[in-house]
Structure formats: structure tokens, C-alpha cells
Amino acid sequence: MKEAKRFLTVDFYIQTIVGIACVLLSFALYGIILLLPFGIWQVISSIVLVLIYKDKKRVPHLIFVAIWGAILGILMLIGVENFPFYFFYIILLPAGVGIWYYTITRNDYLLVKGNKGVSREEMEEILDFEL
């Protein structure tokens, strides 16, 4: 991942800026509209990191996006018209996946930068902590 340091830095800052704009504008239509470039950038990032830098942990993201897009295409072809379903499928589900992908990018960026992010093992210890 060290060879992807420059790309990860740019990737992290673009996702952070667009993500903050999405959150700040989420009470207006602009926040929802900004999910589109946020998602497009994440797919481009995922493709670059998987194909060029051989990052295997982003493969599930690409598989999810491909399946999500195929299902959306099928639903549009058969003419499903259910607003609550589309709200979940087009807005909430991609936003959740976007947050998940952002945390992966953030952790990789912190590791490459030299700051120690929270590792999976440390997170499991935190979550398994009993009072």
C-alpha cells in the first residue's frame, strides 16, 4: 500500500471534502445530489486501487457496486415503481456503503501516512469489552 501513498492522499481528501458537503447539505436536496459524485469517485478509487495497486480489500466494494447496478437496471427495466424501496435502494444503501468505503480509505491513509489507525483486531477488542 506504500506505493499508493500519493493516490490514497488525494483519494482521502476528495472523499472527505465531498462527504462533509453531503452531510452539511443533507437537509437540502443538494446533499442527496452530492451522493452521486461521491459514489462515482469511490468506484473510480476502488477500480484504480484494485487494478493498479492490487488492493484486495476493495474487491468486495466493486462486486457490490456491480451487483447493485445490475439489480437497479433490472428493476428499472421491469418498471418497479415503489418510492420507499427506491429511497432505500438508491439513497440509504449507497450512503451506507459510501461510509464503509470511506472508513477503509481513511484507515489505509492513516497507515500509509504513519499514524496508526484502529486495526480490525483493536476494534474487535473494543467491541468485545465487557463492563
Side-chain angles (χ1 to χ4, degrees), residues 21 34 45-46 50 57 60 72 85 89:
L34 283 175
S45 163
S46 191
V50 168
K57 70 182 143 222
L72 180 62
F85 173 75
Y89 195 76

Side-chain angles (χ1 to χ4, degrees), residues 2 5 8 10 12 17 21-22 43 45 47 49 61 63-64 70 73 76 80 83 85 87 118 120 131:
K2 293 280 187 198
K5 183 177 181 176
L8 272 173
V10 172
F12 173 73
I17 291 167
C22 284
V43 171
S45 163
I47 289 170
L49 288 167
H61 179 257
I63 292 170
F64 173 83
M76 293 177 83
V80 173
F83 179 76
F85 173 75
F87 180 76
V118 177
R120 179 171 284 172
L131 296 175

Side-chain angles (χ1 to χ4, degrees), residues 23-34:
V23 170
L24 292 177
L25 298 171
S26 64
F27 299 106
L29 184 60
Y30 300 114
I32 294 171
I33 291 171
L34 283 175

